[in-house]
């Protein structure tokens, strides 16, 4: 499959590496085509990898990942071009972190709205699926790096897009269907983005990012 990735940081490159290694054709998008880091990434990731602008990557991909800085995500989606994103599943991995008042960051949107919903409003004909935003990027693409059971949250308004994304998560990244917890509509992103203040404090107390959330779920109690 052709995959467009908006974002040339650690997350975009890590997801791009994993997909290119699986035989997908990947284009990393940036504010300007030819960014040095993206050119170096495309060179190192092999024949399946290429780079371009946000709009190039959005037009190239049959499925799109948004891996841009949270407070730039809407600008990146706008630059990518809503018309280039129309009808495509768009996996939103970004988080609405506000570092303007120092550490730990706060969230610049939440509770009654989410960054995923802002992204959806910026590209109304895209099929936004929120996923992968609650764990480190090395675990996103290889959950087996963390022993034991752990969970991935997914939500979105389009059932077909969600199924397509789940197929990629299981097929390319190795998530087991039982690990993927579907929270329903895209407004579920209000909850998964709200996990970030907890994730960041756990990162601070543990001193590393090799952890993930897991729920023990028992049988429903009998009345
Ligand atoms: N690090 C993780 O493991 C992890 C885990 C879960 C979720 N996330 C989320 O994933 C996203 C990506 O994280 P990251 O650390 O890989 O990269 P990042 O540094 O947060 O973002 C890099 C991307 O943002 C773009 N960008 C920055 N300022 C911009 C602006 N003013 N307008 C348009 N685009 C702009 C950059 O464009 P250029 O290419 O042009 O420079 C670059 O492509 C973030 O939202 C983060 O919260 C990260």
């Amino acid at each position: 499959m052709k995959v467009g990735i908006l974002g040339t940081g650690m997350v975009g490159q890590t997801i791009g590496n994993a997909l290119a290694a699986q035989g997908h054709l990947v284009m990393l998008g940036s504010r300007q085509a030819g960014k040095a880091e993206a050119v170096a990434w495309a060179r190192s990731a092999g024949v399946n990898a290429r780079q371009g602008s946000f709009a190039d990557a959005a037009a190239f991909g049959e499925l799109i990942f948004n891996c841009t800085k949270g407070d730039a995500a809407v600008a990146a989606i706008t630059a990518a071009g809503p018309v280039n994103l129309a009808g495509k599943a768009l996996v939103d991995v970004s988080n609405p972190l506000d570092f303007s008042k120092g550490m730990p960051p706060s969230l610049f949107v939440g509770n009654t709205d989410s960054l995923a919903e802002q992204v959806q409003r910026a590209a109304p004909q895209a099929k936004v699926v929120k996923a992968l935003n609650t764990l480190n990027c090395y675990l996103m693409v290889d959950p087996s790096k963390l022993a034991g059971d752990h969970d991935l949250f997914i939500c979105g308004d389009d059932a077909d897009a969600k199924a397509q994304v789940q197929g990629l998560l299981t097929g390319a990244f190795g998530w087991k269907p039982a690990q993927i917890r579907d929270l329903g509509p895209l407004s579920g992103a209000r909850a998964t983005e709200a996990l970030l203040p907890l994730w960041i404090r756990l990162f601070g107390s543990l001193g590393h990012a090799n952890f993930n959330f897991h729920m023990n779920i028992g049988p429903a109690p009998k009345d």
Side-chain angles (χ1 to χ4, degrees):
M1 183 194 297
K2 288 167 140 180
V3 180
I5 298 180
L6 311 178
T8 58
M10 183 199 301
V11 178
Q13 293 195 21
T14 302
I15 289 175
N17 280 333
L19 291 173
Q22 291 282 321
H24 295 283
L25 299 180
V26 181
M27 183 182 287
L28 230 58
S30 180
R31 276 169 286 190
Q32 287 214 308
K35 182 183 171 182
E37 291 89 334
V39 171
W41 171 82
R43 204 168 284 139
S44 71
V47 292
N48 291 336
R50 61 218 72 204
Q51 61 78 36
S53 67
F54 285 139
D56 293 335
F60 175 82
E62 299 159 310
L63 182 145
I64 310 295
F65 282 85
N66 173 38
C67 306
T68 57
K69 196 163 164 275
D71 60 7
V74 168
I77 293 292
T78 303
V83 72
N84 291 324
L85 300 166
K88 300 177 183 177
L90 195 172
V91 188
D92 180 33
V93 186
S94 66
N95 278 310
L97 300 179
D98 177 1
F99 293 93
S100 65
K101 297 182 185 68
M103 292 296 283
S106 56
L107 302 179
F108 63 76
V109 61
N111 194 24
T112 56
D113 196 6
S114 63
L115 183 53
E117 290 164 281
Q118 293 185 348
V119 164
Q120 180 68 82
R121 290 195 292 273
Q125 290 177 281
K127 299 168 182 177
V128 178
V129 176
K130 189 84 192 188
L132 297 168
N133 65 306
T134 55
L135 72 171
N136 179 263
C137 56
Y138 299 109
L139 294 175
M140 291 178 195
V141 299
D142 187 359
S144 72
K145 283 207 169 106
L146 187 61
D149 294 331
H150 55 103
D151 300 336
L152 186 67
F153 304 107
I154 186 169
C155 61
D157 293 335
D158 187 287
D160 291 340
K162 229 167 13 180
Q164 187 186 16
V165 172
Q166 293 205 32
L168 197 66
L169 295 171
T170 54
F173 297 162
W175 287 91
K176 298 186 193 109
Q179 291 179 286
I180 301 176
R181 309 231 169 255
D182 187 343
L183 301 179
L186 190 61
S187 58
R190 299 173 192 180
T192 65
E193 292 173 5
L195 282 175
L196 263 291
L198 175 59
W199 189 96
I200 287 163
R201 283 163 178 81
L202 287 166
F203 176 63
S205 62
L206 293 168
H208 64 79
N210 192 31
F211 65 92
N212 190 18
F213 297 107
H214 173 60
M215 283 165 303
N216 284 323
I217 301 175
K222 294 192 176 80
D223 291 335

